[in-house]
Amino acid sequence: MNFRQLRYFAAVAEEENIGRAALRLHISQPPLTRQIQQLEDELGVKLLHRTSKGVELTQAGDTLYHEARNILALTAVATERTVKAEQGHLGRLDIAIFGSAILGLIPKTVLEFRNAYPDVNVVLHTMSKPDQIKALRRRQIDIGFNRLLAPHEDITTEVILYEELVIAVNENHPLAKKKDLKFTDLAGEPLILFPSNARPGFIDYAIRICNDAGFSPNITQEVGDAVTGVALVASGFGISIVPRSTTALSLPGVIYRDFEQNKDVAGLDLSCIYRTDNHSQILHNFLQVVRRYAAELEKKS
Amino acid sequence: MNFRQLRYFAAVAEEENIGRAALRLHISQPPLTRQIQQLEDELGVKLLHRTSKGVELTQAGDTLYHEARNILALTAVATERTVKAEQGHLGRLDIAIFGSAILGLIPKTVLEFRNAYPDVNVVLHTMSKPDQIKALRRRQIDIGFNRLLAPHEDITTEVILYEELVIAVNENHPLAKKKDLKFTDLAGEPLILFPSNARPGFIDYAIRICNDAGFSPNITQEVGDAVTGVALVASGFGISIVPRSTTALSLPGVIYRDFEQNKDVAGLDLSCIYRTDNHSQILHNFLQVVRRYAAELEKKS
DNA sequence: TCTATACCATATAAAAAAGGTATGTATACG
DNA sequence: CGTATACATACCTTTTTTATATGGTATAGA
């Protein structure tokens, strides 16, 4: 059995007349007769009653006709889906994010991507930095988002955006009133930093930039994620340095303040990582959405 | 696209190696390479990444692989179902019955047929005699059951069984005590007959056989079906003549009595009708079940 | 760095399949 | 009783598919 025979048979079934079906198929009548005969021989089943005015389906023929329509329709869908898959409109994208990355760019990007590519199944995984690298190599994820990423041989690191650091203080804290906030004003202040569960991370980076500024930070608390950290600021446990995207999280009593001459204060990257040898069109499409969205953010600021 | 290409591609996808797949398919490697290339060209889609150790599926290739498996499986099922349909194991059978035929042979036959041919969809239609003929001609039904059928040119009438007539009387009625019941004993008795909604029917037949016996029947009541008729007998409205199969219906106060020398009293056929040109295997299989069951009944009596 | 090996790709000739034309056969219809 | 219509068959041509032989490329090991 082959597609041609099914296609031919469906035409004959619909026309109930071999000659007319042949006309419709743009072939002559004898080859069509032969193809139907071959189909019957191969199945060992009479599909048509030959009458003087044409043919009519036997019960077996009727059954096969419905099956054939089904198969032919499915085949059309199959090619369609294959082409869609090639264009990155169909498939699956596994994205790794880190805890506090739920804020800001990532959720909006993912949302936009899902709208643009509704047939791509997007799966989000929360993963630490080293786990993201491992999962990429194991091909468990296609792309990961993180900060302060070290370069790897087989993995491309692409900086999506650079975020300035801002300070989160309780509204009752003296620094909340002070203008022209400088980085060195943090000396001696009780610092709350996150995340504490991925090393090397923001904390190590914060220590380094404090040292560069000429003082040792007084880290009183390490927490796992931004929400907890800012919550502690709200409760008056101390102050915190956070990337600007965290300001999307507004808690009562918490005030975010820019540093004076922010350009001089070191900022923080948000990067994504993916296997350099991953030429998936889906990944490519997703990266385009990310880049476009990041460029928009850049323009606004 | 054709089945061969899908079959070949599925093998390549599973082996991840064209040479090995060719071995499995019992063809040499170059034609397989070419078939895959043609498939790719036709779809305009790269299905495989060629590597040094073999091939691996692209996202499009993976998509097509799953579709291909689906189509191939469906095709196998299609041939299976077509053969089953030819053997009368798959399809639909529309049966027409008349009101009181719910008793006796028909339900048991249908049940047995459904057990033997579970993939045949049996649909029962309640229909009067002329409607059955019409529905047969319109191919709305495949077979009808009825009594006292006139012959038709295009329709085969097959007597399934011949039922003797018995009398249904109330236990308090004088005839209930009388032995050696003769047909002429019915003269003057109030008769309840059915069905009243299909002419010519049993009623006309009853009038005729009474006339033949030398008296005019005293028909006091015509009702639509056996259940109502026998219920009236139970209530003492009169007596009734019924085919023996009706005795399956036992109501309090109703006694069924045979006629003496029953052979002489005319009986009643139960026949089935079907289009003479209907060579459906399903119908054939159903008729076999009916005949076997009728033969069993015959043997018992 | 060279060679052996294991792949996939290409070229060509033979075999198989599909298509076309002409003709045959059966049935309905005027 | 001939004509028209529809499917079947015979025979030849064209296209498609396969196998064999050969070439090219990347990897592994000496």
Side-chain angles (χ1 to χ4, degrees):
Chain A
M1 195 199 296
N2 55 47
F3 281 125
R4 175 169 14 216
Q5 287 170 336
L6 290 186
R7 221 159 36 86
Y8 284 8
F9 176 66
V12 171
E14 279 157 19
E15 298 290 342
E16 296 194 318
N17 180 313
I18 296 185
R20 246 193 336 268
L23 224 66
R24 192 173 112 183
L25 294 166
H26 305 296
I27 60 171
S28 58
Q29 170 261 317
L32 182 53
T33 293
R34 242 209 342 248
Q35 290 291 346
I36 301 296
Q37 287 173 337
Q38 281 179 9
L39 185 57
E40 288 183 322
D41 287 353
E42 190 183 324
L43 294 172
V45 167
K46 269 252 159 300
L47 299 171
L48 303 172
H49 287 307
R50 276 73 169 175
T51 72
S52 57
K53 11 181 26 167
V55 294
E56 59 185 27
L57 295 177
T58 61
Q59 299 235 5
D62 186 65
T63 302
L64 183 62
Y65 170 64
H66 287 101
E67 298 285 337
R69 290 298 305 249
N70 213 341
I71 291 170
L72 294 173
L74 210 72
T75 305
V77 169
T79 67
E80 212 172 83
R81 286 172 62 87
T82 304
V83 172
K84 269 184 109 179
E86 153 113 326
Q87 295 168 343
H89 283 268
L90 181 76
R92 174 179 169 141
L93 185 70
D94 287 274
I95 305 174
I97 55 175
F98 56 100
S100 57
I102 331 165
L103 303 164
L105 170 136
I106 296 168
K108 283 174 186 155
T109 305
V110 169
L111 209 69
E112 194 174 325
F113 179 75
R114 296 185 77 137
N115 283 337
Y117 301 91
D119 292 335
V120 176
N121 191 9
V122 176
V123 183
L124 291 176
H125 306 264
T126 299
M127 249 180 228
S128 73
K129 209 181 296 181
D131 282 354
Q132 290 192 11
I133 303 287
K134 274 185 223 153
L136 272 176
R137 294 206 168 116
R138 288 178 190 155
R139 305 184 168 233
Q140 291 167 337
I141 60 171
D142 301 293
I143 185 170
F145 285 94
N146 225 307
R147 301 187 190 279
L148 299 166
L149 285 157
H152 291 271
E153 178 65 27
D154 50 343
I155 289 172
T156 302
T157 305
E158 182 172 333
V159 177
I160 298 304
L161 49 82
Y162 183 82
E163 293 190 76
E164 293 166 350
L165 296 176
V166 301
I167 183 168
V169 295
N170 191 287
E171 56 189 359
N172 299 323
H173 192 281
L175 284 180
K177 276 132 209 157
K178 191 164 188 291
K179 296 199 169 180
D180 297 342
L181 207 59
K182 291 187 192 84
F183 196 65
T184 47
D185 289 333
L186 301 182
E189 292 289 344
L191 273 180
I192 300 159
L193 289 176
F194 52 83
S196 64
N197 48 9
R199 280 252 151 69
F202 181 33
I203 292 175
D204 309 278
Y205 179 66
I207 294 171
R208 194 167 63 68
I209 57 177
C210 289
N211 288 338
D212 288 354
F215 64 95
S216 268
N218 173 22
I219 300 172
T220 52
Q221 194 71 36
E222 296 185 8
V223 295
D225 63 288
V227 180
T228 313
V230 177
L232 289 181
V233 171
S235 313
F237 273 70
I239 67 173
S240 185
I241 309 168
V242 301
R244 188 183 298 284
S245 65
T246 308
T247 61
L249 176 69
S250 66
L251 262 66
V254 176
I255 290 176
Y256 297 99
R257 283 280 162 120
D258 288 4
F259 287 105
E260 182 190 47
Q261 290 178 310
N262 216 327
K263 280 87 228 160
D264 300 341
V265 180
L268 207 54
D269 64 302
L270 175 67
S271 299
C272 65
I273 46 179
Y274 47 87
R275 285 191 311 281
T276 307
D277 68 351
N278 186 349
H279 301 298
S280 151
Q281 190 64 35
I282 294 180
L283 176 61
H284 181 251
N285 293 344
F286 180 70
L287 281 170
Q288 282 203 322
V289 172
V290 170
R291 287 172 195 143
R292 190 172 61 235
Y293 194 76
E296 260 173 47
L297 280 185
E298 200 76 19
K299 212 165 54 190
K300 274 185 199 161
S301 69
Chain B
M1 195 198 298
N2 56 45
F3 282 124
R4 181 180 0 225
Q5 287 170 336
L6 291 186
R7 224 158 36 84
Y8 284 8
F9 176 67
V12 171
E14 278 158 19
E15 298 289 342
E16 296 195 315
N17 181 310
I18 297 184
R20 243 190 342 264
L23 223 65
R24 192 173 111 183
L25 294 165
H26 305 297
I27 60 169
S28 58
Q29 170 261 316
L32 182 52
T33 292
R34 224 154 49 90
Q35 291 290 345
I36 301 297
Q37 287 172 337
Q38 282 179 7
L39 185 57
E40 287 183 323
D41 288 352
E42 191 184 324
L43 294 172
V45 167
K46 268 253 157 303
L47 299 171
L48 302 174
H49 287 308
R50 275 72 168 176
T51 71
S52 57
K53 7 180 32 164
V55 295
E56 61 185 28
L57 295 176
T58 61
Q59 299 234 5
D62 188 63
T63 303
L64 183 62
Y65 170 62
H66 287 101
E67 298 286 336
R69 289 299 304 249
N70 214 341
I71 292 170
L72 294 172
L74 210 74
T75 306
V77 169
T79 67
E80 214 173 84
R81 288 172 61 90
T82 304
V83 171
K84 269 185 108 177
E86 153 111 328
Q87 296 167 345
H89 284 269
L90 182 76
R92 175 179 168 139
L93 185 70
D94 288 274
I95 305 174
I97 54 175
F98 56 97
S100 57
I102 332 165
L103 303 165
L105 171 136
I106 295 169
K108 282 171 186 157
T109 304
V110 169
L111 208 69
E112 194 173 323
F113 180 76
R114 296 185 78 136
N115 283 336
Y117 300 91
D119 292 335
V120 175
N121 192 8
V122 176
V123 183
L124 291 177
H125 308 263
T126 299
M127 249 180 226
S128 71
K129 210 179 297 180
D131 282 353
Q132 289 192 13
I133 303 287
K134 274 185 222 151
L136 271 177
R137 294 207 167 115
R138 288 178 189 157
R139 306 185 167 233
Q140 290 167 339
I141 60 170
D142 300 293
I143 186 168
F145 285 94
N146 225 309
R147 301 186 192 280
L148 299 166
L149 286 156
H152 292 271
E153 179 67 26
D154 51 343
I155 289 172
T156 303
T157 305
E158 182 171 332
V159 177
I160 298 303
L161 46 84
Y162 183 83
E163 295 189 76
E164 292 167 346
L165 296 176
V166 301
I167 183 168
V169 296
N170 191 287
E171 58 189 356
N172 300 323
H173 193 280
L175 284 180
K177 275 135 210 155
K178 190 164 188 291
K179 295 198 168 183
D180 297 340
L181 208 59
K182 292 187 190 81
F183 196 66
T184 47
D185 291 333
L186 301 181
E189 292 290 343
L191 271 179
I192 301 159
L193 287 176
F194 50 86
S196 64
N197 48 8
R199 282 248 149 74
F202 182 32
I203 291 174
D204 310 278
Y205 178 67
I207 293 170
R208 191 167 64 70
I209 57 176
C210 289
N211 288 339
D212 288 353
F215 64 96
S216 267
N218 170 23
I219 298 171
T220 52
Q221 194 71 38
E222 293 185 12
V223 294
D225 62 287
V227 179
T228 312
V230 177
L232 290 182
V233 173
S235 312
F237 272 72
I239 67 174
S240 184
I241 308 168
V242 301
R244 187 183 298 284
S245 64
T246 308
T247 61
L249 176 68
S250 67
L251 262 66
V254 176
I255 289 177
Y256 297 100
R257 283 279 163 121
D258 290 4
F259 288 105
E260 181 191 49
Q261 289 175 311
N262 216 327
K263 282 87 225 160
D264 300 341
V265 180
L268 207 54
D269 64 304
L270 176 66
S271 299
C272 65
I273 46 179
Y274 47 88
R275 285 191 311 281
T276 306
D277 68 352
N278 186 348
H279 301 298
S280 150
Q281 189 64 36
I282 295 179
L283 176 61
H284 182 252
N285 293 343
F286 179 70
L287 282 171
Q288 281 204 320
V289 172
V290 171
R291 287 170 196 146
R292 191 172 62 237
Y293 194 77
E296 260 173 48
L297 280 184
E298 198 77 20
K299 211 165 55 188
K300 274 187 197 159
S301 67

